[in-house]
Amino acid sequence: MTSQPELFRNSSPNLPDGLRLRTVATEHGLITLTLARSRRRSIGFVIGTEGLRVTAPYWVSLKQIDEAVVEKAEWIQKKLAFWRQRNAVADQAQQSWLACTQLPYLGTTISIDIDTGSKVPRFDGDPFSPQTQDTLWLALPHDATAEQRSAAAAHWLQTQALHYFDLRIHALANSAGLQFQAWRLSRARARWGSCNSNGSIRLNWRLIHFTPDIIDYVIAHELAHLKQMNHSDRFWHQVGIILPDYEAAMQKLKTTDMSALPALQT
């Protein structure tokens, strides 16, 4: 059996008082965990960025805890593998921000760099018609941290999203003779857009990574809800009135996982 890879955030043995590291041998490999005691009535398992944490009642013996880990070993190892991969991707993304990097913007890959002599960010191309050779220059010191670079890029992208989406939502609404109450940016983790019964629309700012046809589709989708607060045939007919030939953009968006987008500080 091989030991569990040390790819978790809190792999140091310097744990807070009341916590202890423990390793359990199972047929699925060694499992290292952080053990905590509490007044809870049963053994609890939590797997996340810092690995496996087991919380057990004071009266449960170590042997019983080990047996519970062995029983759930296959599930535990699958979850640990998922979080190791997620942590590795996050670490890689973090490191990439320490050097010149790239970002998808309106369907094009632009470069990101730092201009230490500038007080505001600048884009050396057409902000609404970017080209692959264009660069976003962040107004940061040369020793800016990865978090500062990421946050500055996210702020610029959100500003561009605010302006670009505003142009498109008014253009599409006007062409279809529709009126909405208001709209704003969203930071939702699992939704590209929404529209409530009061006519207020929210658009996920991360849509700014995508091509204009996908952005138009999401906007048309939410505008159609002004007429049909459902996904009936009448609703999709309304989407087609607002944006003919929307199907290709819809299919492209369906294959996009939000977790695959750049990990930006917001």
mmCIF file with all atom_site columns, all heavy atoms in Angstrom, residues 203-227:
data_model
loop_
_atom_site.group_PDB
_atom_site.id
_atom_site.type_symbol
_atom_site.label_atom_id
_atom_site.label_alt_id
_atom_site.label_comp_id
_atom_site.label_asym_id
_atom_site.label_entity_id
_atom_site.label_seq_id
_atom_site.pdbx_PDB_ins_code
_atom_site.Cartn_x
_atom_site.Cartn_y
_atom_site.Cartn_z
_atom_site.occupancy
_atom_site.B_iso_or_equiv
_atom_site.pdbx_formal_charge
_atom_site.auth_seq_id
_atom_site.auth_comp_id
_atom_site.auth_asym_id
_atom_site.auth_atom_id
_atom_site.pdbx_PDB_model_num
ATOM 1   N N   . LEU A 1 203 ? -27.719 38.871 -14.906 1.00 0.00 ? 203 LEU A N   1
ATOM 2   C CA  . LEU A 1 203 ? -26.837 38.202 -15.853 1.00 0.00 ? 203 LEU A CA  1
ATOM 3   C C   . LEU A 1 203 ? -25.500 37.925 -15.193 1.00 0.00 ? 203 LEU A C   1
ATOM 4   O O   . LEU A 1 203 ? -24.892 38.831 -14.611 1.00 0.00 ? 203 LEU A O   1
ATOM 5   C CB  . LEU A 1 203 ? -26.631 39.071 -17.101 1.00 0.00 ? 203 LEU A CB  1
ATOM 6   C CG  . LEU A 1 203 ? -27.899 39.429 -17.880 1.00 0.00 ? 203 LEU A CG  1
ATOM 7   C CD1 . LEU A 1 203 ? -27.575 40.481 -18.939 1.00 0.00 ? 203 LEU A CD1 1
ATOM 8   C CD2 . LEU A 1 203 ? -28.504 38.186 -18.530 1.00 0.00 ? 203 LEU A CD2 1
ATOM 9   N N   . ASN A 1 204 ? -25.050 36.694 -15.279 1.00 0.00 ? 204 ASN A N   1
ATOM 10  C CA  . ASN A 1 204 ? -23.783 36.308 -14.660 1.00 0.00 ? 204 ASN A CA  1
ATOM 11  C C   . ASN A 1 204 ? -22.623 37.012 -15.356 1.00 0.00 ? 204 ASN A C   1
ATOM 12  O O   . ASN A 1 204 ? -22.463 36.897 -16.573 1.00 0.00 ? 204 ASN A O   1
ATOM 13  C CB  . ASN A 1 204 ? -23.619 34.790 -14.745 1.00 0.00 ? 204 ASN A CB  1
ATOM 14  C CG  . ASN A 1 204 ? -22.545 34.267 -13.816 1.00 0.00 ? 204 ASN A CG  1
ATOM 15  O OD1 . ASN A 1 204 ? -21.432 34.776 -13.785 1.00 0.00 ? 204 ASN A OD1 1
ATOM 16  N ND2 . ASN A 1 204 ? -22.886 33.240 -13.056 1.00 0.00 ? 204 ASN A ND2 1
ATOM 17  N N   . TRP A 1 205 ? -21.806 37.710 -14.579 1.00 0.00 ? 205 TRP A N   1
ATOM 18  C CA  . TRP A 1 205 ? -20.717 38.484 -15.183 1.00 0.00 ? 205 TRP A CA  1
ATOM 19  C C   . TRP A 1 205 ? -19.719 37.597 -15.913 1.00 0.00 ? 205 TRP A C   1
ATOM 20  O O   . TRP A 1 205 ? -19.040 38.052 -16.848 1.00 0.00 ? 205 TRP A O   1
ATOM 21  C CB  . TRP A 1 205 ? -20.005 39.329 -14.131 1.00 0.00 ? 205 TRP A CB  1
ATOM 22  C CG  . TRP A 1 205 ? -19.108 38.578 -13.175 1.00 0.00 ? 205 TRP A CG  1
ATOM 23  C CD1 . TRP A 1 205 ? -19.439 38.073 -11.967 1.00 0.00 ? 205 TRP A CD1 1
ATOM 24  C CD2 . TRP A 1 205 ? -17.724 38.262 -13.378 1.00 0.00 ? 205 TRP A CD2 1
ATOM 25  N NE1 . TRP A 1 205 ? -18.351 37.462 -11.385 1.00 0.00 ? 205 TRP A NE1 1
ATOM 26  C CE2 . TRP A 1 205 ? -17.283 37.562 -12.229 1.00 0.00 ? 205 TRP A CE2 1
ATOM 27  C CE3 . TRP A 1 205 ? -16.814 38.503 -14.410 1.00 0.00 ? 205 TRP A CE3 1
ATOM 28  C CZ2 . TRP A 1 205 ? -15.989 37.092 -12.087 1.00 0.00 ? 205 TRP A CZ2 1
ATOM 29  C CZ3 . TRP A 1 205 ? -15.506 38.042 -14.278 1.00 0.00 ? 205 TRP A CZ3 1
ATOM 30  C CH2 . TRP A 1 205 ? -15.106 37.341 -13.131 1.00 0.00 ? 205 TRP A CH2 1
ATOM 31  N N   . ARG A 1 206 ? -19.637 36.321 -15.546 1.00 0.00 ? 206 ARG A N   1
ATOM 32  C CA  . ARG A 1 206 ? -18.673 35.425 -16.187 1.00 0.00 ? 206 ARG A CA  1
ATOM 33  C C   . ARG A 1 206 ? -19.032 35.117 -17.638 1.00 0.00 ? 206 ARG A C   1
ATOM 34  O O   . ARG A 1 206 ? -18.217 34.539 -18.376 1.00 0.00 ? 206 ARG A O   1
ATOM 35  C CB  . ARG A 1 206 ? -18.537 34.132 -15.385 1.00 0.00 ? 206 ARG A CB  1
ATOM 36  C CG  . ARG A 1 206 ? -17.845 34.343 -14.043 1.00 0.00 ? 206 ARG A CG  1
ATOM 37  C CD  . ARG A 1 206 ? -17.658 33.037 -13.294 1.00 0.00 ? 206 ARG A CD  1
ATOM 38  N NE  . ARG A 1 206 ? -17.018 33.233 -12.008 1.00 0.00 ? 206 ARG A NE  1
ATOM 39  C CZ  . ARG A 1 206 ? -15.709 33.298 -11.814 1.00 0.00 ? 206 ARG A CZ  1
ATOM 40  N NH1 . ARG A 1 206 ? -14.895 33.168 -12.849 1.00 0.00 ? 206 ARG A NH1 1
ATOM 41  N NH2 . ARG A 1 206 ? -15.191 33.487 -10.620 1.00 0.00 ? 206 ARG A NH2 1
ATOM 42  N N   . LEU A 1 207 ? -20.220 35.516 -18.062 1.00 0.00 ? 207 LEU A N   1
ATOM 43  C CA  . LEU A 1 207 ? -20.560 35.385 -19.481 1.00 0.00 ? 207 LEU A CA  1
ATOM 44  C C   . LEU A 1 207 ? -19.614 36.203 -20.354 1.00 0.00 ? 207 LEU A C   1
ATOM 45  O O   . LEU A 1 207 ? -19.498 35.937 -21.555 1.00 0.00 ? 207 LEU A O   1
ATOM 46  C CB  . LEU A 1 207 ? -22.001 35.834 -19.715 1.00 0.00 ? 207 LEU A CB  1
ATOM 47  C CG  . LEU A 1 207 ? -23.101 34.889 -19.226 1.00 0.00 ? 207 LEU A CG  1
ATOM 48  C CD1 . LEU A 1 207 ? -24.442 35.612 -19.217 1.00 0.00 ? 207 LEU A CD1 1
ATOM 49  C CD2 . LEU A 1 207 ? -23.169 33.643 -20.090 1.00 0.00 ? 207 LEU A CD2 1
ATOM 50  N N   . ILE A 1 208 ? -18.943 37.174 -19.781 1.00 0.00 ? 208 ILE A N   1
ATOM 51  C CA  . ILE A 1 208 ? -18.020 38.018 -20.551 1.00 0.00 ? 208 ILE A CA  1
ATOM 52  C C   . ILE A 1 208 ? -16.848 37.207 -21.110 1.00 0.00 ? 208 ILE A C   1
ATOM 53  O O   . ILE A 1 208 ? -16.157 37.643 -22.020 1.00 0.00 ? 208 ILE A O   1
ATOM 54  C CB  . ILE A 1 208 ? -17.492 39.200 -19.684 1.00 0.00 ? 208 ILE A CB  1
ATOM 55  C CG1 . ILE A 1 208 ? -16.929 40.318 -20.575 1.00 0.00 ? 208 ILE A CG1 1
ATOM 56  C CG2 . ILE A 1 208 ? -16.447 38.724 -18.685 1.00 0.00 ? 208 ILE A CG2 1
ATOM 57  C CD1 . ILE A 1 208 ? -17.946 41.002 -21.441 1.00 0.00 ? 208 ILE A CD1 1
ATOM 58  N N   . HIS A 1 209 ? -16.636 35.997 -20.589 1.00 0.00 ? 209 HIS A N   1
ATOM 59  C CA  . HIS A 1 209 ? -15.602 35.120 -21.145 1.00 0.00 ? 209 HIS A CA  1
ATOM 60  C C   . HIS A 1 209 ? -16.007 34.571 -22.512 1.00 0.00 ? 209 HIS A C   1
ATOM 61  O O   . HIS A 1 209 ? -15.145 34.181 -23.299 1.00 0.00 ? 209 HIS A O   1
ATOM 62  C CB  . HIS A 1 209 ? -15.347 33.931 -20.215 1.00 0.00 ? 209 HIS A CB  1
ATOM 63  C CG  . HIS A 1 209 ? -14.690 34.275 -18.922 1.00 0.00 ? 209 HIS A CG  1
ATOM 64  N ND1 . HIS A 1 209 ? -13.478 34.945 -18.849 1.00 0.00 ? 209 HIS A ND1 1
ATOM 65  C CD2 . HIS A 1 209 ? -15.056 34.025 -17.639 1.00 0.00 ? 209 HIS A CD2 1
ATOM 66  C CE1 . HIS A 1 209 ? -13.132 35.089 -17.578 1.00 0.00 ? 209 HIS A CE1 1
ATOM 67  N NE2 . HIS A 1 209 ? -14.068 34.552 -16.830 1.00 0.00 ? 209 HIS A NE2 1
ATOM 68  N N   . PHE A 1 210 ? -17.326 34.535 -22.803 1.00 0.00 ? 210 PHE A N   1
ATOM 69  C CA  . PHE A 1 210 ? -17.824 33.816 -23.964 1.00 0.00 ? 210 PHE A CA  1
ATOM 70  C C   . PHE A 1 210 ? -17.991 34.690 -25.198 1.00 0.00 ? 210 PHE A C   1
ATOM 71  O O   . PHE A 1 210 ? -17.947 35.914 -25.134 1.00 0.00 ? 210 PHE A O   1
ATOM 72  C CB  . PHE A 1 210 ? -19.167 33.157 -23.629 1.00 0.00 ? 210 PHE A CB  1
ATOM 73  C CG  . PHE A 1 210 ? -19.080 32.160 -22.515 1.00 0.00 ? 210 PHE A CG  1
ATOM 74  C CD1 . PHE A 1 210 ? -19.950 32.229 -21.436 1.00 0.00 ? 210 PHE A CD1 1
ATOM 75  C CD2 . PHE A 1 210 ? -18.127 31.155 -22.513 1.00 0.00 ? 210 PHE A CD2 1
ATOM 76  C CE1 . PHE A 1 210 ? -19.885 31.315 -20.406 1.00 0.00 ? 210 PHE A CE1 1
ATOM 77  C CE2 . PHE A 1 210 ? -18.046 30.238 -21.490 1.00 0.00 ? 210 PHE A CE2 1
ATOM 78  C CZ  . PHE A 1 210 ? -18.924 30.312 -20.433 1.00 0.00 ? 210 PHE A CZ  1
ATOM 79  N N   . THR A 1 211 ? -18.236 34.018 -26.308 1.00 0.00 ? 211 THR A N   1
ATOM 80  C CA  . THR A 1 211 ? -18.466 34.717 -27.574 1.00 0.00 ? 211 THR A CA  1
ATOM 81  C C   . THR A 1 211 ? -19.782 35.496 -27.518 1.00 0.00 ? 211 THR A C   1
ATOM 82  O O   . THR A 1 211 ? -20.701 35.147 -26.769 1.00 0.00 ? 211 THR A O   1
ATOM 83  C CB  . THR A 1 211 ? -18.519 33.705 -28.734 1.00 0.00 ? 211 THR A CB  1
ATOM 84  O OG1 . THR A 1 211 ? -19.444 32.668 -28.406 1.00 0.00 ? 211 THR A OG1 1
ATOM 85  C CG2 . THR A 1 211 ? -17.146 33.097 -28.989 1.00 0.00 ? 211 THR A CG2 1
ATOM 86  N N   . PRO A 1 212 ? -19.907 36.540 -28.325 1.00 0.00 ? 212 PRO A N   1
ATOM 87  C CA  . PRO A 1 212 ? -21.114 37.372 -28.297 1.00 0.00 ? 212 PRO A CA  1
ATOM 88  C C   . PRO A 1 212 ? -22.406 36.603 -28.543 1.00 0.00 ? 212 PRO A C   1
ATOM 89  O O   . PRO A 1 212 ? -23.454 36.959 -27.981 1.00 0.00 ? 212 PRO A O   1
ATOM 90  C CB  . PRO A 1 212 ? -20.854 38.397 -29.402 1.00 0.00 ? 212 PRO A CB  1
ATOM 91  C CG  . PRO A 1 212 ? -19.363 38.542 -29.414 1.00 0.00 ? 212 PRO A CG  1
ATOM 92  C CD  . PRO A 1 212 ? -18.855 37.150 -29.170 1.00 0.00 ? 212 PRO A CD  1
ATOM 93  N N   . ASP A 1 213 ? -22.371 35.545 -29.367 1.00 0.00 ? 213 ASP A N   1
ATOM 94  C CA  . ASP A 1 213 ? -23.605 34.818 -29.644 1.00 0.00 ? 213 ASP A CA  1
ATOM 95  C C   . ASP A 1 213 ? -24.137 34.115 -28.400 1.00 0.00 ? 213 ASP A C   1
ATOM 96  O O   . ASP A 1 213 ? -25.366 34.032 -28.202 1.00 0.00 ? 213 ASP A O   1
ATOM 97  C CB  . ASP A 1 213 ? -23.397 33.824 -30.788 1.00 0.00 ? 213 ASP A CB  1
ATOM 98  C CG  . ASP A 1 213 ? -22.368 32.750 -30.456 1.00 0.00 ? 213 ASP A CG  1
ATOM 99  O OD1 . ASP A 1 213 ? -21.364 33.078 -29.796 1.00 0.00 ? 213 ASP A OD1 1
ATOM 100 O OD2 . ASP A 1 213 ? -22.556 31.591 -30.862 1.00 0.00 ? 213 ASP A OD2 1
ATOM 101 N N   . ILE A 1 214 ? -23.241 33.611 -27.545 1.00 0.00 ? 214 ILE A N   1
ATOM 102 C CA  . ILE A 1 214 ? -23.675 32.963 -26.303 1.00 0.00 ? 214 ILE A CA  1
ATOM 103 C C   . ILE A 1 214 ? -24.246 33.996 -25.342 1.00 0.00 ? 214 ILE A C   1
ATOM 104 O O   . ILE A 1 214 ? -25.265 33.760 -24.681 1.00 0.00 ? 214 ILE A O   1
ATOM 105 C CB  . ILE A 1 214 ? -22.511 32.194 -25.663 1.00 0.00 ? 214 ILE A CB  1
ATOM 106 C CG1 . ILE A 1 214 ? -22.143 30.990 -26.536 1.00 0.00 ? 214 ILE A CG1 1
ATOM 107 C CG2 . ILE A 1 214 ? -22.863 31.745 -24.245 1.00 0.00 ? 214 ILE A CG2 1
ATOM 108 C CD1 . ILE A 1 214 ? -20.991 30.165 -26.007 1.00 0.00 ? 214 ILE A CD1 1
ATOM 109 N N   . ILE A 1 215 ? -23.607 35.149 -25.252 1.00 0.00 ? 215 ILE A N   1
ATOM 110 C CA  . ILE A 1 215 ? -24.124 36.219 -24.388 1.00 0.00 ? 215 ILE A CA  1
ATOM 111 C C   . ILE A 1 215 ? -25.508 36.643 -24.845 1.00 0.00 ? 215 ILE A C   1
ATOM 112 O O   . ILE A 1 215 ? -26.433 36.790 -24.046 1.00 0.00 ? 215 ILE A O   1
ATOM 113 C CB  . ILE A 1 215 ? -23.153 37.415 -24.384 1.00 0.00 ? 215 ILE A CB  1
ATOM 114 C CG1 . ILE A 1 215 ? -21.798 37.008 -23.793 1.00 0.00 ? 215 ILE A CG1 1
ATOM 115 C CG2 . ILE A 1 215 ? -23.750 38.592 -23.591 1.00 0.00 ? 215 ILE A CG2 1
ATOM 116 C CD1 . ILE A 1 215 ? -20.727 38.071 -23.912 1.00 0.00 ? 215 ILE A CD1 1
ATOM 117 N N   . ASP A 1 216 ? -25.672 36.809 -26.150 1.00 0.00 ? 216 ASP A N   1
ATOM 118 C CA  . ASP A 1 216 ? -26.979 37.200 -26.686 1.00 0.00 ? 216 ASP A CA  1
ATOM 119 C C   . ASP A 1 216 ? -28.031 36.136 -26.382 1.00 0.00 ? 216 ASP A C   1
ATOM 120 O O   . ASP A 1 216 ? -29.197 36.466 -26.100 1.00 0.00 ? 216 ASP A O   1
ATOM 121 C CB  . ASP A 1 216 ? -26.885 37.423 -28.190 1.00 0.00 ? 216 ASP A CB  1
ATOM 122 C CG  . ASP A 1 216 ? -26.364 38.805 -28.552 1.00 0.00 ? 216 ASP A CG  1
ATOM 123 O OD1 . ASP A 1 216 ? -26.078 39.593 -27.628 1.00 0.00 ? 216 ASP A OD1 1
ATOM 124 O OD2 . ASP A 1 216 ? -26.239 39.089 -29.757 1.00 0.00 ? 216 ASP A OD2 1
ATOM 125 N N   . TYR A 1 217 ? -27.632 34.864 -26.448 1.00 0.00 ? 217 TYR A N   1
ATOM 126 C CA  . TYR A 1 217 ? -28.602 33.807 -26.156 1.00 0.00 ? 217 TYR A CA  1
ATOM 127 C C   . TYR A 1 217 ? -29.101 33.887 -24.718 1.00 0.00 ? 217 TYR A C   1
ATOM 128 O O   . TYR A 1 217 ? -30.309 33.792 -24.464 1.00 0.00 ? 217 TYR A O   1
ATOM 129 C CB  . TYR A 1 217 ? -28.004 32.423 -26.416 1.00 0.00 ? 217 TYR A CB  1
ATOM 130 C CG  . TYR A 1 217 ? -28.792 31.349 -25.705 1.00 0.00 ? 217 TYR A CG  1
ATOM 131 C CD1 . TYR A 1 217 ? -30.099 31.057 -26.083 1.00 0.00 ? 217 TYR A CD1 1
ATOM 132 C CD2 . TYR A 1 217 ? -28.259 30.685 -24.603 1.00 0.00 ? 217 TYR A CD2 1
ATOM 133 C CE1 . TYR A 1 217 ? -30.856 30.120 -25.402 1.00 0.00 ? 217 TYR A CE1 1
ATOM 134 C CE2 . TYR A 1 217 ? -29.013 29.745 -23.909 1.00 0.00 ? 217 TYR A CE2 1
ATOM 135 C CZ  . TYR A 1 217 ? -30.307 29.461 -24.309 1.00 0.00 ? 217 TYR A CZ  1
ATOM 136 O OH  . TYR A 1 217 ? -31.064 28.547 -23.615 1.00 0.00 ? 217 TYR A OH  1
ATOM 137 N N   . VAL A 1 218 ? -28.196 34.054 -23.767 1.00 0.00 ? 218 VAL A N   1
ATOM 138 C CA  . VAL A 1 218 ? -28.611 34.126 -22.357 1.00 0.00 ? 218 VAL A CA  1
ATOM 139 C C   . VAL A 1 218 ? -29.507 35.341 -22.138 1.00 0.00 ? 218 VAL A C   1
ATOM 140 O O   . VAL A 1 218 ? -30.524 35.265 -21.438 1.00 0.00 ? 218 VAL A O   1
ATOM 141 C CB  . VAL A 1 218 ? -27.389 34.176 -21.426 1.00 0.00 ? 218 VAL A CB  1
ATOM 142 C CG1 . VAL A 1 218 ? -27.825 34.387 -19.978 1.00 0.00 ? 218 VAL A CG1 1
ATOM 143 C CG2 . VAL A 1 218 ? -26.581 32.887 -21.546 1.00 0.00 ? 218 VAL A CG2 1
ATOM 144 N N   . ILE A 1 219 ? -29.151 36.459 -22.746 1.00 0.00 ? 219 ILE A N   1
ATOM 145 C CA  . ILE A 1 219 ? -29.984 37.656 -22.609 1.00 0.00 ? 219 ILE A CA  1
ATOM 146 C C   . ILE A 1 219 ? -31.366 37.412 -23.206 1.00 0.00 ? 219 ILE A C   1
ATOM 147 O O   . ILE A 1 219 ? -32.396 37.745 -22.606 1.00 0.00 ? 219 ILE A O   1
ATOM 148 C CB  . ILE A 1 219 ? -29.305 38.867 -23.274 1.00 0.00 ? 219 ILE A CB  1
ATOM 149 C CG1 . ILE A 1 219 ? -28.030 39.244 -22.509 1.00 0.00 ? 219 ILE A CG1 1
ATOM 150 C CG2 . ILE A 1 219 ? -30.267 40.062 -23.326 1.00 0.00 ? 219 ILE A CG2 1
ATOM 151 C CD1 . ILE A 1 219 ? -27.206 40.349 -23.166 1.00 0.00 ? 219 ILE A CD1 1
ATOM 152 N N   . ALA A 1 220 ? -31.408 36.811 -24.402 1.00 0.00 ? 220 ALA A N   1
ATOM 153 C CA  . ALA A 1 220 ? -32.693 36.519 -25.046 1.00 0.00 ? 220 ALA A CA  1
ATOM 154 C C   . ALA A 1 220 ? -33.515 35.551 -24.198 1.00 0.00 ? 220 ALA A C   1
ATOM 155 O O   . ALA A 1 220 ? -34.743 35.696 -24.093 1.00 0.00 ? 220 ALA A O   1
ATOM 156 C CB  . ALA A 1 220 ? -32.455 35.932 -26.439 1.00 0.00 ? 220 ALA A CB  1
ATOM 157 N N   . HIS A 1 221 ? -32.845 34.592 -23.605 1.00 0.00 ? 221 HIS A N   1
ATOM 158 C CA  . HIS A 1 221 ? -33.526 33.615 -22.733 1.00 0.00 ? 221 HIS A CA  1
ATOM 159 C C   . HIS A 1 221 ? -34.232 34.323 -21.576 1.00 0.00 ? 221 HIS A C   1
ATOM 160 O O   . HIS A 1 221 ? -35.402 34.050 -21.291 1.00 0.00 ? 221 HIS A O   1
ATOM 161 C CB  . HIS A 1 221 ? -32.491 32.625 -22.207 1.00 0.00 ? 221 HIS A CB  1
ATOM 162 C CG  . HIS A 1 221 ? -33.072 31.512 -21.393 1.00 0.00 ? 221 HIS A CG  1
ATOM 163 N ND1 . HIS A 1 221 ? -33.029 30.199 -21.795 1.00 0.00 ? 221 HIS A ND1 1
ATOM 164 C CD2 . HIS A 1 221 ? -33.708 31.502 -20.194 1.00 0.00 ? 221 HIS A CD2 1
ATOM 165 C CE1 . HIS A 1 221 ? -33.621 29.445 -20.885 1.00 0.00 ? 221 HIS A CE1 1
ATOM 166 N NE2 . HIS A 1 221 ? -34.034 30.217 -19.903 1.00 0.00 ? 221 HIS A NE2 1
ATOM 167 N N   . GLU A 1 222 ? -33.524 35.241 -20.940 1.00 0.00 ? 222 GLU A N   1
ATOM 168 C CA  . GLU A 1 222 ? -34.129 35.945 -19.800 1.00 0.00 ? 222 GLU A CA  1
ATOM 169 C C   . GLU A 1 222 ? -35.194 36.932 -20.251 1.00 0.00 ? 222 GLU A C   1
ATOM 170 O O   . GLU A 1 222 ? -36.219 37.109 -19.581 1.00 0.00 ? 222 GLU A O   1
ATOM 171 C CB  . GLU A 1 222 ? -33.046 36.640 -18.984 1.00 0.00 ? 222 GLU A CB  1
ATOM 172 C CG  . GLU A 1 222 ? -31.950 35.716 -18.467 1.00 0.00 ? 222 GLU A CG  1
ATOM 173 C CD  . GLU A 1 222 ? -32.487 34.458 -17.808 1.00 0.00 ? 222 GLU A CD  1
ATOM 174 O OE1 . GLU A 1 222 ? -33.584 34.506 -17.197 1.00 0.00 ? 222 GLU A OE1 1
ATOM 175 O OE2 . GLU A 1 222 ? -31.826 33.413 -17.898 1.00 0.00 ? 222 GLU A OE2 1
ATOM 176 N N   . LEU A 1 223 ? -34.991 37.579 -21.377 1.00 0.00 ? 223 LEU A N   1
ATOM 177 C CA  . LEU A 1 223 ? -36.012 38.495 -21.889 1.00 0.00 ? 223 LEU A CA  1
ATOM 178 C C   . LEU A 1 223 ? -37.296 37.734 -22.241 1.00 0.00 ? 223 LEU A C   1
ATOM 179 O O   . LEU A 1 223 ? -38.406 38.252 -22.058 1.00 0.00 ? 223 LEU A O   1
ATOM 180 C CB  . LEU A 1 223 ? -35.489 39.235 -23.124 1.00 0.00 ? 223 LEU A CB  1
ATOM 181 C CG  . LEU A 1 223 ? -34.446 40.332 -22.884 1.00 0.00 ? 223 LEU A CG  1
ATOM 182 C CD1 . LEU A 1 223 ? -33.903 40.836 -24.214 1.00 0.00 ? 223 LEU A CD1 1
ATOM 183 C CD2 . LEU A 1 223 ? -35.039 41.487 -22.069 1.00 0.00 ? 223 LEU A CD2 1
ATOM 184 N N   . ALA A 1 224 ? -37.158 36.503 -22.732 1.00 0.00 ? 224 ALA A N   1
ATOM 185 C CA  . ALA A 1 224 ? -38.339 35.719 -23.084 1.00 0.00 ? 224 ALA A CA  1
ATOM 186 C C   . ALA A 1 224 ? -39.194 35.413 -21.860 1.00 0.00 ? 224 ALA A C   1
ATOM 187 O O   . ALA A 1 224 ? -40.414 35.240 -21.968 1.00 0.00 ? 224 ALA A O   1
ATOM 188 C CB  . ALA A 1 224 ? -37.914 34.421 -23.773 1.00 0.00 ? 224 ALA A CB  1
ATOM 189 N N   . HIS A 1 225 ? -38.547 35.368 -20.692 1.00 0.00 ? 225 HIS A N   1
ATOM 190 C CA  . HIS A 1 225 ? -39.299 35.121 -19.463 1.00 0.00 ? 225 HIS A CA  1
ATOM 191 C C   . HIS A 1 225 ? -40.220 36.296 -19.110 1.00 0.00 ? 225 HIS A C   1
ATOM 192 O O   . HIS A 1 225 ? -41.116 36.153 -18.278 1.00 0.00 ? 225 HIS A O   1
ATOM 193 C CB  . HIS A 1 225 ? -38.352 34.837 -18.303 1.00 0.00 ? 225 HIS A CB  1
ATOM 194 C CG  . HIS A 1 225 ? -37.839 33.430 -18.289 1.00 0.00 ? 225 HIS A CG  1
ATOM 195 N ND1 . HIS A 1 225 ? -38.665 32.338 -18.373 1.00 0.00 ? 225 HIS A ND1 1
ATOM 196 C CD2 . HIS A 1 225 ? -36.571 32.943 -18.192 1.00 0.00 ? 225 HIS A CD2 1
ATOM 197 C CE1 . HIS A 1 225 ? -37.932 31.231 -18.328 1.00 0.00 ? 225 HIS A CE1 1
ATOM 198 N NE2 . HIS A 1 225 ? -36.669 31.560 -18.226 1.00 0.00 ? 225 HIS A NE2 1
ATOM 199 N N   . LEU A 1 226 ? -39.999 37.436 -19.719 1.00 0.00 ? 226 LEU A N   1
ATOM 200 C CA  . LEU A 1 226 ? -40.917 38.552 -19.503 1.00 0.00 ? 226 LEU A CA  1
ATOM 201 C C   . LEU A 1 226 ? -42.310 38.214 -20.041 1.00 0.00 ? 226 LEU A C   1
ATOM 202 O O   . LEU A 1 226 ? -43.308 38.735 -19.546 1.00 0.00 ? 226 LEU A O   1
ATOM 203 C CB  . LEU A 1 226 ? -40.383 39.812 -20.190 1.00 0.00 ? 226 LEU A CB  1
ATOM 204 C CG  . LEU A 1 226 ? -39.057 40.378 -19.663 1.00 0.00 ? 226 LEU A CG  1
ATOM 205 C CD1 . LEU A 1 226 ? -38.576 41.504 -20.575 1.00 0.00 ? 226 LEU A CD1 1
ATOM 206 C CD2 . LEU A 1 226 ? -39.212 40.887 -18.232 1.00 0.00 ? 226 LEU A CD2 1
ATOM 207 N N   . LYS A 1 227 ? -42.339 37.326 -21.044 1.00 0.00 ? 227 LYS A N   1
ATOM 208 C CA  . LYS A 1 227 ? -43.606 36.898 -21.641 1.00 0.00 ? 227 LYS A CA  1
ATOM 209 C C   . LYS A 1 227 ? -44.077 35.546 -21.099 1.00 0.00 ? 227 LYS A C   1
ATOM 210 O O   . LYS A 1 227 ? -45.278 35.320 -20.928 1.00 0.00 ? 227 LYS A O   1
ATOM 211 C CB  . LYS A 1 227 ? -43.453 36.796 -23.167 1.00 0.00 ? 227 LYS A CB  1
ATOM 212 C CG  . LYS A 1 227 ? -43.272 38.129 -23.872 1.00 0.00 ? 227 LYS A CG  1
ATOM 213 C CD  . LYS A 1 227 ? -44.581 38.915 -23.882 1.00 0.00 ? 227 LYS A CD  1
ATOM 214 C CE  . LYS A 1 227 ? -44.478 40.147 -24.756 1.00 0.00 ? 227 LYS A CE  1
ATOM 215 N NZ  . LYS A 1 227 ? -45.762 40.914 -24.794 1.00 0.00 ? 227 LYS A NZ  1
#
